[in-house]
Amino acid sequence: MVRGKKREEKISAKQLIIFLVLMAFIAWQAYILVAPLGFFETGANVASTGFVSLEVLVPLEINITNPAEGGNYTFLPGGPYILDLNLTTNEENYSKLAFNYSLYDYRHNEWAVQDAAFIPNTTFNAVRWWNQLFVTGYRGQEVSSDNVTFFVYVPNTAPLIYGINSTIFACEESQLVYDFSATDADEDSITSEMTTHNLFFVSPSGQFRTNYFFQIVSIPLDKLSAGGVNSGWRTYPSTISVTDNFNATCCSDSKQTDITVIEINNPPVLTNIPVQTLIWNQGENATLFEIIDVSDLEYDVYGYGGLTKNLTIINSSGQTVNLFNLSSNSTHDFINFTATNQTSGGNYNVKVCVNDTGLTNKYQDILKYCGQTGQAFTVCDSFILTITDENRAPTIRRYYPANLSFNNSGIQEIYFNITKYDPDGTIPDAYWYVDGNFTEYDSGSFIDEFRYTFGCGISGKHFVKAVITDGLANDSVQWNVTVENVLCPSGPSPGGGGGGGGGGGGGCRSLWGCNAWNLCQNAESSLDFGLISGEDYRNIEGYCNDNKISNDECGFQFRECTDLNACFLKPQNPNRLQYCRYTENPSCYDNIKNCHDGDCEFLVDCGGSCSQCPSCSDNIENQDEEGKDCGGSCPWRCEPAVPLLKRSVTIYIFLAILLLAIALIIVKLARVMKYQREISSIKKQKV
């Protein structure tokens, strides 16, 4: 009994201690809450007391821990390039802080992200190549920041060609310009080539980031380009290839296309016959002699078909008359007519027409692509013939500008017009000259117009002159123009404008087309035979020495290049000579990129006359690909393999089998039930 009592007293003491500690804690908390409100001030003591809490703030510090300064991070092609954004700070209470980050793209010298808010620790999208990450933290008005520079590495991938159709069409008497593009995620320097046939070439036209722009261009296409006269068309199978020059065996892409040149029928060209005036019985002035000068490409050059000419003469009353006919000799048709006092005077409208022969073998879609059907053409020329006993001169009655001397900017178009009159009723022809150079011819109207721009870089005194004639007598008017110089933006020297709205010179932009490289020749042997100069040999030898190529294999090759725009500017000519590794018997199996069998390899032992180079668009698992046209050097990843039981085909087969089994079970049950009914019926009949 005594032991139990003592134990109870000990337990009560512990409870008392716990109770007192608890009460003290509650009192302390109550004091903290109410002391700032002044509940303990009595007013009896003017010297009051209180508590002062001092908090020493340490300057805010932020440190980026990931990405690491100078870090190098590797990703698979195609992105995205997601990295962790981790940081540390000496402020334990993150709720007092706000953060943002900016990312600078050094490759393109631009901000990829600016002042984006985030919460540590998170992820962000980096850019390829060099990045600089800036992180800024805010604690009220206090600001702290840190930055790191790091590199994102992505393995090289092959370029890809886009925008080339399986068939490309061009027309005779035109110049093919066909746009296509290529992409290269690595932004490497892309070059492009094609099987040229010495007609078609690839020319670069621009680049923006990963997009590269090219044009398939041609020389002016003639009748032979289309297969010859009355052949209809000719098709050129062509391969267009691009490479990023990563190494001699990788990486490239190519497309096949058929370029079809369609033959057209070229209309005959009839030389213009000017206005004519004949005076009775006045010698030469009474005779009209004009050769009807006609040219036709198909007939004159290739001897195809024939030309038919006819003449129509209408008098001032609108009646068709037989004043004279066409005459012929072994080479020309001509008009030879002399007016006499027996010839009816007045104005005659003389019309000469020529018909050629159309094509009989025509491309089926010639109208769609070339705007004609290959049909025969009729070309006519008309002129006014005035027959009189006394010719009166034509006159320019009105002209514009009314001021014959004025100033004008070199780049501002000038508008001119004249109103003509002829007392004999003739419609005079007009000839326009700029600084004495014939520029435009007008006929068939009493009002003629002319527009001209001198162009940038042109200044000083110039003149524009209009001359009208009835065939015998003339009149003219001249404007004196003081041209004010306007500097050209840049480029080649300026040139004069053209009639009928011609403009000043903007320069000529060369468009180079180069044939395939010729066979690789040994440099030392070529020097001995005098095929190359000593300077060229020393340059070639230096290249071979730098690349540790022996004299036996040190070679060079030429190619022919043509300025398709015929600018003939000396600077910026493409390379016509390059170094190569010489071998006596080049082939598709010598492990050398060379030329043979009439074409050049695009990469080592592929392209040209060899098999097509492996690419990411040939539907073949080659190169270092992980699947067909994916993985490895290809710019997209292979799709992960789907387990057999999760494949759509497997599921559909399983469902079909299941449905078939259910159907068989239903049929079986129906048969059993039918059998049971028949047995039951038999039993009832026996009873």
Side-chain angles (χ1 to χ4, degrees):
M1 296 293 292
V2 175
R3 290 179 182 174
K5 186 175 182 181
K6 289 181 178 181
R7 187 177 181 183
E8 289 175 2
E9 290 175 354
K10 289 181 180 179
I11 293 174
S12 298
K14 289 181 180 179
Q15 291 176 342
L16 179 60
I17 292 170
I18 294 172
F19 177 78
L20 291 174
V21 171
L22 181 60
M23 293 302 295
F25 178 78
I26 293 173
W28 173 252
Q29 294 299 318
Y31 176 77
I32 291 175
L33 291 173
V34 300
L37 301 177
F39 286 103
F40 294 97
E41 296 182 7
T42 63
N45 188 356
V46 294
S48 62
T49 61
F51 293 90
V52 177
S53 177
L54 297 177
E55 183 180 2
V56 179
L57 291 176
V58 178
L60 180 63
E61 292 182 2
I62 291 176
N63 295 293
I64 301 172
T65 59
N66 196 78
E69 174 65 30
N72 194 322
Y73 301 90
T74 300
F75 289 88
L76 293 174
Y81 316 124
I82 300 176
L83 289 172
D84 291 332
L85 174 50
N86 299 331
L87 56 85
T88 61
T89 175
N90 60 351
E91 173 58 63
E92 296 180 358
N93 189 357
Y94 270 38
S95 64
K96 294 182 178 181
L97 302 177
F99 299 93
N100 64 37
Y101 79 94
S102 299
L103 186 69
Y104 192 75
D105 179 355
Y106 271 103
R107 175 65 174 249
H108 305 109
N109 294 318
E110 65 183 20
W111 290 100
V113 179
Q114 280 189 285
D115 300 326
F118 74 98
I119 300 174
N121 297 291
T122 185
T123 60
F124 72 103
N125 287 331
V127 295
R128 192 172 176 184
W129 297 292
W130 282 107
N131 296 247
Q132 188 168 13
L133 177 68
F134 298 85
V135 171
T136 304
Y138 302 88
R139 184 172 60 186
Q141 299 299 317
E142 189 178 2
V143 180
S144 180
S145 62
D146 190 20
N147 70 86
V148 293
T149 302
F150 60 95
F151 189 81
V152 171
Y153 171 77
V154 180
N156 184 79
T157 56
L160 296 169
I161 297 176
Y162 295 95
I164 296 181
N165 293 332
S166 58
T167 53
I168 298 173
F169 297 95
C171 298
E172 175 195 347
E173 295 300 314
S174 70
Q175 191 170 2
L176 176 65
V177 178
Y178 184 90
D179 296 307
F180 72 95
S181 64
T183 62
D184 185 74
D186 314 303
E187 299 183 24
D188 294 324
S189 177
I190 286 186
T191 56
S192 181
E193 296 179 6
M194 70 177 295
T195 49
T196 65
H197 310 288
N198 295 335
L199 293 178
F200 309 102
F201 311 92
V202 173
S203 174
S205 58
Q207 177 201 354
F208 180 73
R209 299 286 173 84
T210 60
N211 296 314
Y212 299 77
F213 306 99
F214 299 90
Q215 291 179 326
I216 300 173
V217 296
S218 74
I219 64 173
L221 300 170
D222 57 15
K223 182 71 68 176
L224 295 179
S225 303
V229 67
N230 205 36
S231 294
W233 68 93
R234 183 178 177 183
T235 297
Y236 299 85
S238 303
T239 301
I240 296 92
S241 303
V242 296
T243 179
D244 62 4
N245 302 292
F246 183 68
N247 59 42
T249 60
C250 180
C251 299
S252 69
D253 191 20
S254 60
K255 298 290 183 184
Q256 279 73 45
T257 185
D258 289 332
I259 302 178
T260 298
V261 181
I262 303 172
E263 181 189 12
I264 64 170
N265 180 32
N266 295 269
V269 177
L270 179 60
T271 301
N272 174 69
I273 302 174
V275 64
Q276 304 285 336
T277 297
L278 301 181
I279 305 176
W280 297 327
N281 302 321
Q282 287 206 10
E284 293 181 356
N285 292 340
T287 299
L288 169 63
F289 182 84
E290 284 289 337
I291 295 175
I292 309 303
D293 195 358
V294 180
S295 62
D296 182 78
L297 179 67
E298 285 77 16
Y299 178 72
D300 294 331
V301 177
Y302 299 99
Y304 173 78
L307 300 176
T308 303
K309 307 177 186 70
N310 60 77
L311 177 71
T312 304
I313 304 173
I314 300 176
N315 63 18
S316 55
S317 300
Q319 297 174 328
T320 300
V321 296
N322 188 20
L323 189 63
F324 50 81
N325 295 308
L326 289 176
S327 302
S328 299
N329 57 25
S330 58
T331 57
H332 294 288
D333 292 301
F334 55 90
I335 298 172
N336 188 5
F337 169 71
T338 300
T340 67
N341 55 5
Q342 302 298 316
T343 306
S344 300
N347 295 312
Y348 297 86
N349 189 319
V350 183
K351 186 177 185 180
V352 179
C353 293
V354 180
N355 295 76
D356 71 352
T357 303
L359 302 176
T360 57
N361 187 26
K362 297 175 285 187
Y363 187 72
Q364 59 182 356
D365 288 327
I366 182 175
L367 180 62
K368 177 180 178 181
Y369 295 109
C370 301
Q372 64 159 257
T373 62
Q375 76 283 358
F377 282 101
T378 299
V379 176
C380 299
D381 181 59
S382 299
F383 65 95
I384 300 297
L385 172 63
T386 300
I387 300 176
T388 181
D389 58 351
E390 181 182 359
N391 185 48
R392 291 169 291 181
T395 303
I396 298 175
R397 283 193 165 183
R398 288 184 294 275
Y399 52 82
Y400 180 88
N403 191 348
L404 295 178
S405 297
F406 59 90
N407 297 345
N408 198 80
S409 166
I411 61 173
Q412 182 178 355
E413 183 184 77
I414 310 173
Y415 171 74
F416 304 87
N417 71 45
I418 56 174
T419 301
K420 304 172 290 187
Y421 170 73
D422 188 288
D424 298 319
T426 305
I427 302 177
D429 290 345
Y431 298 82
W432 296 87
Y433 299 86
V434 177
D435 295 332
N437 298 313
F438 172 70
T439 307
E440 182 176 310
Y441 166 78
D442 295 324
S443 67
S445 174
F446 283 107
I447 299 176
D448 294 325
E449 298 176 314
F450 177 68
R451 291 176 170 84
Y452 193 82
T453 305
F454 282 93
C456 64
I458 301 295
S459 62
K461 296 186 180 300
H462 299 266
F463 66 87
V464 176
K465 186 176 184 179
V467 178
I468 66 170
T469 180
D470 63 2
L472 291 178
N474 304 330
D475 192 16
S476 65
V477 62
Q478 177 174 307
W479 294 267
N480 299 306
V481 185
T482 301
V483 179
E484 300 168 356
N485 183 39
V486 176
L487 293 177
C488 296
S490 61
S493 59
C508 184
R509 176 180 174 270
S510 291
L511 183 62
W512 291 99
C514 296
N515 297 337
W517 292 99
N518 294 326
L519 288 174
C520 186
Q521 305 176 57
N522 182 265
E524 193 168 20
S525 299
S526 298
L527 179 66
D528 294 339
F529 284 103
L531 300 178
I532 56 174
S533 66
E535 182 181 357
D536 285 338
Y537 175 76
R538 288 187 292 273
N539 291 333
I540 297 167
E541 185 182 40
Y543 167 83
C544 292
N545 291 336
D546 292 341
N547 290 272
K548 299 180 180 179
I549 301 175
S550 66
N551 286 341
D552 291 340
E553 293 184 330
C554 184
F556 71 95
Q557 53 192 161
F558 287 114
R559 66 176 177 178
E560 295 295 328
C561 294
T562 303
D563 184 357
L564 304 180
N565 287 343
C567 295
F568 302 112
L569 301 177
K570 291 184 179 179
Q572 299 178 347
N573 289 356
N575 293 332
R576 289 185 168 90
L577 180 148
Q578 72 173 5
Y579 317 110
C580 55
R581 185 182 292 273
Y582 172 77
T583 180
E584 188 172 350
N585 297 304
S587 70
C588 298
Y589 309 99
D590 55 14
N591 202 31
I592 301 174
K593 179 184 176 182
N594 46 32
C595 301
H596 51 85
D597 301 316
D599 210 343
C600 291
E601 298 172 6
F602 189 61
L603 299 178
V604 171
D605 293 343
C606 70
S609 56
C610 302
S611 60
Q612 183 178 331
C613 295
S615 71
C616 295
S617 61
D618 55 14
N619 200 32
I620 302 172
E621 185 177 343
N622 45 27
Q623 308 180 92
D624 57 352
E625 299 169 11
E626 299 169 6
K628 286 185 180 180
D629 297 340
C630 65
S633 299
C634 295
W636 43 72
R637 304 173 190 174
C638 296
E639 295 184 4
V642 180
L644 179 62
L645 295 178
K646 292 186 177 181
R647 296 179 186 175
S648 299
V649 175
T650 304
I651 295 173
Y652 292 147
I653 293 174
F654 174 76
L655 290 175
I657 294 173
L658 181 60
L659 291 174
L660 180 60
I662 292 173
L664 291 174
I665 292 171
I666 292 173
V667 171
K668 189 67 175 176
L669 288 174
R671 289 179 178 177
V672 170
M673 293 175 65
K674 180 180 179 182
Y675 178 74
Q676 289 178 345
R677 286 196 300 269
E678 291 176 351
I679 295 297
S680 177
S681 176
I682 293 171
K683 288 181 179 180
K684 288 181 180 180
Q685 291 177 1
K686 289 181 177 181
V687 175

